[in-house]
Amino acid sequence: MSDKRRAFESPADLARPITQPVLRRPAATTMGAVLVVLRVLAGVWWLLALTFSWNDVLLDDLGLGDEPDFQALGNDVKEAISSGILNTVLIVGGIVLVIELLFALLVFRGVNWARVVVMVFATLSIIGSFVGWWLGGQEITVHTTLVTLALDILVLLALSSQGARAYARRPRERRARGSVA
């Protein structure tokens, strides 16, 4: 039989422990970590673009320009609400991006649970983009979600590879407690 990989692997085969240690980090794992970092950079770019176009987003996309209750507020109050919403989005987005960067480091180091979590969130992001396109008519363009969607698909392809899985599930030596490495 050839060394060609089967199109389908049974769950029992996937759950079986890896017995041979994989010594070298596969290119798929490195590429997966790099793609997660690129995803973080795309998130930073998105947050910057949101900051510079915040008034348009607030008035057009969120529809606050047409709300009579919002229009009745004074300019100082409107500015405080606007900056409060923007600051909240930026802080939460920044925290998410830092966590995603930590996951990139863990994936690079070959931590299996981090690889799985990154793949789950990439899947959820792809599904979210699809649902937004299907139900809401959200356009998938370079200016909206095309870059992050492409990065999520590439992350899934890289981290679901056989080499990345074997590296993340490789046997490791246990350190004794209190020992210095």
Side-chain angles (χ1 to χ4, degrees), residues 31-32 34-36 38-40 42 100 118 121-123 125-127 129-130 139-159:
M31 198 64 215
V34 168
L35 289 167
V36 173
L38 290 175
R39 180 76 165 84
V40 169
E100 199 170 359
V118 166
F121 280 110
T123 303
S125 176
I126 292 167
I127 290 170
S129 295
F130 173 75
E139 292 184 26
I140 297 179
T141 65
V142 174
H143 298 294
T144 58
T145 57
L146 182 64
V147 173
T148 56
L149 183 62
L151 288 171
D152 286 333
I153 291 169
L154 291 173
V155 163
L156 273 180
L157 287 172
L159 295 182

Side-chain angles (χ1 to χ4, degrees), residues 25 29-31 33-34 103-111 167:
R25 180 180 296 111
T29 299
T30 303
M31 198 64 215
V34 168
F103 272 102
L105 178 64
L106 292 173
V107 165
F108 185 74
R109 294 194 59 193
V111 177
Y167 182 72

Side-chain angles (χ1 to χ4, degrees), residues 62-106:
L62 298 179
L64 291 180
D66 300 331
E67 286 290 320
D69 292 337
F70 189 73
Q71 293 300 326
L73 298 172
N75 284 339
D76 293 340
V77 175
K78 283 196 262 185
E79 184 65 32
I81 291 172
S82 172
S83 64
I85 294 171
L86 177 62
N87 288 337
T88 302
V89 169
L90 292 177
I91 289 170
V92 170
I95 291 170
V96 167
L97 292 176
V98 167
I99 291 170
E100 199 170 359
L101 201 56
L102 290 174
F103 272 102
L105 178 64
L106 292 173

